[in-house]
Every structure is written in C-alpha cells, then in structure tokens.
Amino acid sequence: MRNSVKFALIAVTLAICTFSASAKKAEKEPLDPKFTSIQNISVLPIMDVRPGDKAKVNLQGLQKSVVNALKHKRYSASESDTMGTNTQIDVEDLDSADPAVIKKLGQTSDRWVMIVLLGDVHSKVTFGSTGNAEVSGYLFDKQDGSLVWKGKGTGTAGQGGLMGMAMKGMMNGAALDSAVNALFATLPNLPKSK
Amino acid sequence: MRKSILAVVLFTICPLLLAQQTQPIPQTPNSSLPTPVTTSSAEPVKTDAVPITSKWKIILLEPVVRIDDSMVVTRSSPLGSGFPGVPNRKPVGDEDQYERVMLDAARSEIGTKASIVEPDKLDPTAIEDCNHLNYLASRLSRGNINDEASKLLTHLAELDPQYIILAQSIRLQSGVHGTWNPNTGGITSSTASTLLQIALISAKTGAVIWKSEQIIRYKAAKPDDPAMSKALLALFQDFRIE
C-alpha cells in the first residue's frame, strides 16, 4: 500500500513537471522579425566617451570583440572604419534615436549599424586588485532611421590577495570582456540556420 | 666587572644621544612651514570679496540630474568569480537637492570672478531662449553644441553679446555593491559612480570657453556627502574667465 502511494506521488510530480516545462516552451515567443530580417551588422568604430583620466585601451580590439560577440549570437557582422558624415554624435542623439543622425551613420551602403560607446574602464589595487568597465550599444536600421535594440553592460573583474595585486594589469581587459558579455545579454540569439 | 663598565658607558652615551635628538631644528627665514597670520585691528580687515572685473554675464542653466540604476552586470576573474553583487537600493537623494547643491557651488565659485545674471532679471526673450537651452543642458555640459543650440546661442548673443551660459549635469549610478568569494578569492568593487560635468559657452561665438568634469568612483554620492562637496570644489578649481 505504502509503495503504491509513493509511486503515485512520484508519477504525479513527474506529470506536473513535464506539463509546466511544455507550457513554458509553448509560451516562448517567436523572435521579432526586426531581428530575423538583419542581413549584416556594420560595427562602427568604438566611441570613447570616458570621463577623467583615460587608461590605455585597444579600441580596435574592442571593436573586434563586439563583432565576435555578435557572430556568437549568429548575426552576420563586420567592422566598419568610418563613423559616417556626422562627426558630432552625442549619447542623447543615440538615446532619442534621432533619424536625422542615424541616417548619417556609417557608410551609405550599410543598412544595420551598431555603435558601441566605451563609458568607463579603470582598475585599482586594494588587498588584491579589481577592474570595472562600462559599455553601451545601439543597433539602428538606417532604412527607416529606427532603433532596433539598445543595451548597457557593466563588467567587473578582480582577484584578492597578493597574487591579485600582481594581476592589476590584467583587470582592465578582463572587466572589458565581461562588460561586452553583459552588453549583449539582452540581444536575442538568432535561431540556428537549418 | 665588565658588566658594570658596560652599564656605566651606556648610561653616559644614551643621555647624550637623546639630548642631540631633541635639539630644536634651526628655522631658516625661507622655511616652508606655514607662519601664523596676525591681523591688527587698526588695519582694514581683508575679506574674500574681489571686485568683479569681467565684463561677461553668466546665465546658469538648470542642472540636469540623471539617475541610472538598471543595467546588466557580469563579473569575471582570472581565478574565479566573486559572488553576485547586491544591487544598491539606497535612495541617492532628491533631484531638487542635487540641483540646489550644484547651483550653490556655481554661484559661490563663479560669483567672485564674473557677474551672474539671475533668470528673473532676464529679458522675456532671453528667458524663452534659456528655457529651450535647458532641454539641451546635458549635451552642452559635455561641450557638445548642436545646430539647435547654436541657433539659440546666436539669438541670445543678439540680445546681449556678453552673455555666457553655464551648463551643468550630474549622472548618478547606484550599481551593485562590491563582492568577495572566500572560496576562490574573487573580489569585485562597487559599480556605483557619480559624474559631474560642466561647460561655459559663449553666446557670441558659440564656442566652449571652459569645461571641467569630476568623477567619484564606487559611490553614488548624496547631495550632502563630503565627497560631493570635495568634487564640486575640484570641478571649479581651474575656473577662469578673461
């Protein structure tokens, strides 16, 4: 009798788990067409908007890591070497998605452009060392001058102890990598091509 | 016998050494040590007030206060990650308080070097221009002047070519607290920060005359925080106007 009760309890639990898992799968919304229609994202040179003293950062390397992160999400992406005809771009133009500004971004042949802003990178020594970095990104569709996606990511890195103190030089880079990962956390993955 | 001789020698040498160490250091006339300032009641008392010689009229735009708290934070470490940071949920303060603190600092730091025009004493047309410029104050505080701002500045200069605008902004980021993982030794610092930016722009030329910025890291400073007062002082440290 006891065994049969146990068996019934296990069966009911399994049934509930299966049902809830399938319900969650069914609830998963299909990807927005504005993402699936993207053919190639042109990643513009990184805009350095850091305040105060600026630590040395390889901006080209950062641009490459942005391209790689997009490829990891299955988007076709390439590096661009020009910001476009508008040289005075401000964070507010990007936040407000001003079509007049957006249409001047990148090369004329580009349709989807991504602009990444480097907000801050710094490291410090405590009992160990830590690094913080902040990046924000905007993806625009130049055809209609609209904002497709925007995100902001902060990355932190650090190691305690004497070994950590010796690692200070690595912290900026580690924090930047971490920030790029955080930035793209909200960008949906494209489905696998069949 | 030897011990007693040693003791006698030590007793004579030690007082001599001590006496040498406690001798006063001779003061040279050009000593860098601060000398106390004495004031005589017969002499006129000097105050901080300096006659304003600058011909410029500075209009203080409303400071822009931006409070950011939503963002994705990830952490990495060469040897292991820290524990997830706890978001800093403490209220940083009222926007009005920040505005007041920034305006007060600007008035006290600039007021002695140039004349500040209070908004209520402006021409109605100038007030209208300033109201429009207030919307652009955030970008102007970074020294970024767009076409719209240029037009407004030109219009303001037509009213009085000596007008200068002072745009200020503050960005507060509450972020997450620092972490420590005792298992891996991974540590992280707080991601909070406070950024103060300020720019002085000539209405006549539409050019940035002076700009400054200060960042307080690891802290979203409250208006009455000593770090905020220190940063505001540093912000105006090299302020000059000719």
Side-chain angles (χ1 to χ4, degrees):
Chain A
M1 181 66 186
R2 262 191 184 177
N3 280 344
S4 61
V5 170
K6 269 185 189 172
F7 179 76
L9 204 66
I10 289 167
V12 167
T13 315
L14 276 173
I16 289 167
C17 288
T18 319
F19 178 75
S20 62
S22 61
K24 264 186 190 171
K25 226 176 191 179
E27 275 171 19
K28 201 178 176 185
E29 282 176 21
L31 195 61
D32 194 325
K34 67 183 179 182
F35 290 106
T36 49
S37 62
I38 294 171
Q39 284 158 9
N40 183 63
I41 299 172
S42 183
V43 180
L44 305 186
I46 306 293
M47 258 179 78
D48 191 349
V49 293
R50 287 178 289 166
D53 298 330
K54 294 178 181 179
K56 201 178 173 187
V57 172
N58 179 2
L59 295 177
Q60 282 188 331
L62 183 59
Q63 192 184 8
K64 272 182 192 157
S65 61
V66 168
V67 170
N68 290 337
L70 285 169
K71 284 180 178 167
H72 191 69
K73 294 231 162 207
R74 303 190 194 98
Y75 291 92
S76 166
S78 59
E79 290 165 52
S80 172
D81 55 359
T82 175
M83 287 298 284
T85 50
N86 192 351
T87 49
Q88 271 207 328
I89 306 162
D90 195 80
V91 186
E92 279 168 32
D93 297 323
L94 304 173
D95 271 329
S96 61
D98 183 358
V101 174
I102 293 165
K103 289 188 176 180
K104 287 179 188 168
L105 288 173
Q107 287 175 340
T108 45
S109 56
D110 297 333
R111 182 174 165 188
W112 288 276
V113 289
M114 173 165 280
I115 186 157
V116 174
L117 276 68
L118 177 60
D120 197 16
V121 186
H122 67 275
S123 58
K124 71 164 182 178
V125 174
T126 55
F127 186 65
S129 61
T130 61
N132 286 9
E134 187 191 309
V135 285
S136 41
Y138 301 81
L139 177 61
F140 297 109
D141 183 351
K142 275 173 67 182
Q143 200 176 50
D144 55 358
S146 65
L147 176 72
V148 179
W149 168 89
K150 75 171 178 179
K152 190 173 181 180
T154 300
T156 58
Q159 187 61 46
L162 290 171
M163 195 186 270
M165 288 167 102
M167 286 173 167
K168 188 183 177 276
M170 295 165 67
M171 291 308 162
N172 280 347
L176 258 178
D177 289 343
S178 188
V180 171
N181 288 336
L183 172 66
F184 292 112
T186 56
L187 182 72
N189 286 347
L190 279 187
K192 280 178 187 170
S193 53
K194 288 167 190 173
Chain B
M1 183 62 186
R2 272 186 188 176
K3 275 181 187 173
S4 59
I5 290 168
L6 198 67
V8 169
V9 168
L10 279 172
F11 271 108
T12 49
I13 288 171
C14 287
L16 276 173
L17 283 172
L18 281 170
Q20 267 186 348
Q21 275 179 359
T22 51
Q23 270 179 1
I25 301 160
Q27 292 279 335
T28 56
N30 296 329
S31 173
S32 60
L33 289 170
T35 50
V37 178
T38 53
T39 51
S40 158
S41 58
E43 284 172 3
V45 179
K46 281 184 183 177
T47 62
D48 287 344
V50 177
I52 297 163
T53 52
S54 174
K55 58 183 178 174
W56 304 109
K57 296 170 183 172
I58 299 183
I59 302 170
L60 303 182
L61 295 184
E62 284 172 18
V64 179
V65 182
R66 216 174 92 188
I67 300 172
D68 290 349
D69 56 0
S70 57
M71 68 175 70
V72 181
V73 179
T74 59
R75 47 202 68 71
S76 70
S77 164
L79 297 181
S81 64
F83 284 136
V86 181
N88 190 357
R89 297 271 179 233
K90 271 188 201 167
V92 281
D94 203 317
E95 285 188 16
D96 294 340
Q97 285 176 303
Y98 284 106
E99 277 183 26
R100 204 177 54 243
V101 164
M102 291 181 81
L103 284 173
D104 287 350
R107 281 197 183 102
S108 66
E109 297 297 322
I110 294 173
T112 53
K113 293 167 188 166
S115 53
I116 293 172
V117 187
E118 291 303 328
D120 55 341
K121 286 177 185 166
L122 280 171
D123 198 85
T125 329
I127 292 175
E128 203 178 315
D129 287 338
C130 289
N131 286 341
H132 285 110
L133 283 166
N134 277 331
Y135 287 109
L136 304 167
S138 177
R139 74 161 64 226
L140 291 173
S141 71
R142 289 188 285 275
N144 190 325
I145 304 157
N146 64 354
D147 295 341
E148 196 187 345
S150 293
K151 279 177 198 164
L152 289 164
L153 289 168
T154 310
H155 192 245
L156 206 58
E158 282 167 8
L159 299 170
D160 190 339
Q162 285 159 4
Y163 278 145
I164 284 181
I165 59 154
L166 185 89
Q168 305 181 76
S169 72
I170 181 168
R171 191 202 67 184
L172 295 136
Q173 207 158 269
S174 43
V176 294
H177 290 294
T179 62
W180 172 56
N181 185 341
N183 300 321
T184 62
I187 56 169
T188 61
S189 297
S190 166
T191 61
S193 67
T194 308
L195 174 65
L196 295 151
Q197 290 173 311
I198 190 164
L200 197 66
I201 302 158
S202 161
K204 193 179 171 185
T205 60
V208 178
I209 299 171
W210 168 82
K211 68 174 185 172
S212 176
E213 60 186 3
Q214 283 293 316
I215 186 162
I216 305 167
R217 288 204 165 99
Y218 317 114
K219 194 179 209 179
K222 288 183 180 175
D224 55 351
D225 196 308
M228 177 69 95
S229 317
K230 204 176 155 188
L232 282 167
L233 272 178
L235 194 67
F236 291 98
Q237 200 174 27
D238 65 342
F239 174 79
R240 65 178 184 278
I241 186 165
E242 282 128 27

